Amino acid sequence: MTTFVDRVELHVAAGNGGHGCASVHREKFKPLGGPDGGNGGRGGDVILTVDQSITTLLEYHHSPHRKATNGKPGEGGNRSGKDGQDLVLTVPDGTVVLDKQGNVLADLVGEGTTYIAAQGGRGGLGNAALASARRKAPGFALLGEPGDAGDVVLELKTVADVALVGYPSAGKSSLISVLSAAKPKIADYPFTTLVPNLGVVTAGSTVYTIADVPGLIPGASQGRGLGLEFLRHVERCSVLVHVLDTATLESDRDPVSDLDVIEEELRLYGGGLEKRPRLVVLNKVDIPDGKDLAEMIRPELEERGYKVFEVSAVARTGLKELSFALAEIVAKARARKPKAEATRIVIRPKAVDDAGFTVAYDESEDVYRVRGEKPERWVRQTDFNNDEAVGYLADRLNRLGVEDALVKAGARAGDGVAIGSDEDAVVFDWEPTLTAGAEMLGRRGEDHRLDAPRPATQRRREKEARRDDAQREFDEFRPF
């Protein structure tokens, strides 16, 4: 059974905002009680947060669909709906959040680091909040906005200072077990280690973490073995340690060739691993043949510029020197890192000529497409079954300047106008006479500006009537 998962696709959905309430206060001896509809509650967010006690994404492998709760609708008596509850998903330290195209959305490193994977929808305003001097008793309320929904990919990149690389059965797990308190599975057959092992090492005043990459073999960068699957776990390391087996029983292998093969795989993988500092550990020198081979190849490795250590995980020799050498490299790498600065608040004022929306003619759909945060949000919040709500939307769009922009873009009465993206746009025939004028409103839920047929509809009816007349004339005079 799988117990370690380092990559999952997560389907997240935030909560929808609650609808506003359209209500009128009714009480004895108070005939003009006025509107008292409350606002809808906000939908819950889906939040990813780092918890260092978690080491795998296994939970999301089994349950990839996660949804926050919706906001409650408003009620009469100026009672606002309850906000939806945020859904907090804990992830391991070093989790990278990507979209389906592989673009990095967030890199979650450090206890408590958070990222909002899906934003909850806003709650709709009740008619009490929509009342004004001109619209004293609105007969409508705004709808709650739908929450964000989509797919994100979570990739775990282990946060380790030292990475051990080498062939299977080179002794990486044994080395971790004696350098730290980690207790990985150890056996004398290849691919014993199926998941990265992580240990904490203390050398003097320096404390650092050490991890290994299981199953690194020739062709790993192209997907052979397990190396490609786990190489991402050592991308953050400060130093790479080549663990070479000096007592291998395979006749076609030797430590120097093993080193060359692993270096080539690291180069092909990329990710900056080819630029990391290197150390070479000649392991299993407690075996006589291993000791002799280590002394034979050590000069060649040192000529290449490697710092070489002869160790034995079984006899526990050479470990102290190796531990302190790694601590020195890690300390220097940490000192080179820029110091974390306090987060600055950057204020970016809106440009003077920025209307907050754009109008462009879409030839393929033969519509004028309006895009912008406010117009699209207002459309989502409008109840199109309520004439007064539609009139309120027209007022808002007019005040924002959408009508003037349509005129400048060349739109005429009856032309199609789409507000929103291609997938969820609201399309209607533009009627420029549908201007602001809340004083023209009648009873609640009605807007007399919508009583007259729209020019586009009228033209369509006239065209159909002419076609019908022509058909009747043809039927009357056609020869039999």
Side-chain angles (χ1 to χ4, degrees):
M1 180 179 177
T2 302
T3 58
F4 180 85
V5 174
D6 63 349
R7 192 179 192 277
V8 296
E9 183 175 325
L10 197 60
H11 313 281
V12 293
N16 300 326
H19 299 329
C21 175
S23 172
V24 175
H25 181 69
R26 300 183 185 278
E27 187 176 349
K28 192 175 182 180
F29 306 121
K30 289 186 178 181
L32 302 176
D36 67 348
N39 302 331
R42 177 188 63 85
D45 299 333
V46 179
I47 303 173
L48 304 177
T49 184
V50 172
D51 184 348
Q52 291 183 336
S53 65
I54 298 175
T55 59
T56 177
L57 299 171
L58 179 64
E59 178 184 357
Y60 308 120
H61 172 73
H62 294 305
S63 302
H65 297 271
R66 301 301 176 104
K67 187 181 188 307
T69 58
N70 299 329
K72 300 296 183 182
E75 299 179 4
N78 293 304
R79 289 173 293 184
S80 297
K82 183 180 179 181
D83 291 341
Q85 187 174 1
D86 294 338
L87 178 62
V88 179
L89 305 178
T90 54
V91 296
D93 192 7
T95 300
V96 179
V97 186
L98 308 99
D99 59 17
K100 295 292 290 294
Q101 290 71 41
N103 302 312
V104 177
L105 302 177
D107 193 351
L108 305 180
V109 178
E111 180 73 23
T113 304
T114 60
Y115 171 72
I116 299 178
Q119 185 88 41
R122 296 187 184 188
L125 296 179
N127 66 341
L130 296 172
S132 65
R134 293 188 304 171
R135 184 181 277 108
K136 297 183 182 297
F140 67 100
L142 298 185
L143 304 179
E145 285 190 86
D148 295 339
D151 301 333
V152 295
V153 177
L154 304 183
E155 280 190 357
L156 175 59
K157 295 184 179 181
T158 305
V159 181
D161 299 301
V162 179
L164 304 182
V165 294
Y167 266 72
S169 297
K172 300 185 297 295
S173 298
S174 300
L175 200 56
I176 285 183
S177 68
V178 295
L179 286 173
S180 68
K183 301 300 178 185
K185 180 180 179 181
I186 300 172
D188 58 353
Y189 55 86
F191 298 105
T192 306
T193 304
L194 298 178
V195 301
N197 296 309
L198 187 67
V200 179
V201 182
T202 302
S205 60
T206 304
V207 179
Y208 58 91
T209 54
I210 185 169
D212 71 342
V213 180
L216 199 58
I217 61 175
S221 58
Q222 282 77 43
R224 291 189 61 196
L226 302 174
L228 180 62
E229 184 177 354
F230 294 118
L231 271 174
R232 70 170 69 97
H233 289 273
V234 296
E235 286 185 14
R236 306 179 190 272
C237 67
S238 301
V239 55
L240 285 170
V241 177
H242 284 283
V243 181
L244 304 180
D245 184 0
T246 61
T248 178
L249 300 177
E250 300 180 31
S251 58
D252 57 341
R253 281 179 49 201
D254 66 85
V256 177
S257 299
D258 290 355
L259 174 65
D260 294 337
V261 169
I262 300 302
E263 279 290 341
E264 178 64 14
E265 294 303 321
L266 294 175
R267 186 189 66 80
L268 293 175
Y269 178 77
L273 295 179
E274 66 279 1
K275 300 178 182 178
R276 298 289 193 279
R278 266 104 161 123
L279 292 181
V280 172
V281 170
L282 301 176
N283 194 22
K284 304 181 183 180
V285 296
D286 54 305
I287 301 175
D289 291 343
K291 179 66 174 177
D292 295 340
L293 183 57
E295 293 177 351
M296 185 184 306
I297 63 175
R298 180 166 184 162
E300 180 181 350
L301 297 175
E302 290 177 341
E303 286 181 4
R304 295 189 182 186
Y306 292 109
K307 196 171 183 178
V308 182
F309 294 84
E310 298 180 14
V311 304
S312 170
V314 175
R316 301 190 177 227
T317 58
L319 301 178
K320 185 176 180 180
E321 295 82 357
L322 173 62
S323 177
F324 277 86
L326 293 174
E328 182 181 358
I329 297 176
V330 170
K332 290 181 179 179
R334 291 174 180 174
R336 287 195 300 268
K337 288 184 178 180
K339 294 183 179 180
E341 297 182 357
T343 303
R344 296 182 178 181
I345 300 176
V346 180
I347 300 176
R348 295 182 176 88
K350 187 172 66 172
V352 176
D353 58 346
D354 184 6
F357 66 92
T358 59
V359 175
Y361 180 64
D362 187 346
E363 294 184 3
S364 61
E365 299 291 336
D366 191 24
V367 295
Y368 288 87
R369 194 169 297 279
V370 180
R371 296 304 306 272
E373 180 185 353
K374 284 185 177 180
E376 294 180 35
R377 184 176 76 245
W378 292 346
V379 166
R380 290 194 298 266
Q381 293 178 321
T382 300
D383 180 7
F384 287 94
N385 295 319
N386 186 303
D387 289 349
E388 190 178 350
V390 176
Y392 178 69
L393 172 63
D395 293 344
R396 302 177 86 181
L397 293 175
N398 188 30
R399 287 194 299 268
L400 187 63
V402 173
E403 184 163 319
D404 293 338
L406 286 170
V407 172
K408 292 179 181 178
R412 297 183 301 172
D415 288 342
V417 175
I419 301 180
S421 60
D422 296 339
E423 297 78 14
D424 56 357
V426 174
V427 183
F428 56 91
D429 294 334
W430 182 48
E431 174 48 64
T433 62
L434 205 64
T435 57
E439 65 280 354
M440 299 174 58
L441 296 178
R443 294 175 298 175
R444 286 190 301 273
E446 295 181 355
D447 191 330
H448 296 305
R449 295 172 294 175
L450 300 178
D451 292 342
R454 298 181 179 181
T457 304
Q458 188 65 29
R459 287 197 298 268
R460 185 164 55 250
R461 291 175 181 174
E462 293 174 356
K463 184 178 180 180
E464 292 175 355
R466 288 195 299 269
R467 186 177 63 246
D468 293 341
D469 293 341
Q471 183 65 40
R472 282 194 300 270
E473 291 177 2
F474 177 76
D475 292 339
E476 290 176 1
F477 295 100
R478 64 179 178 177
F480 292 96

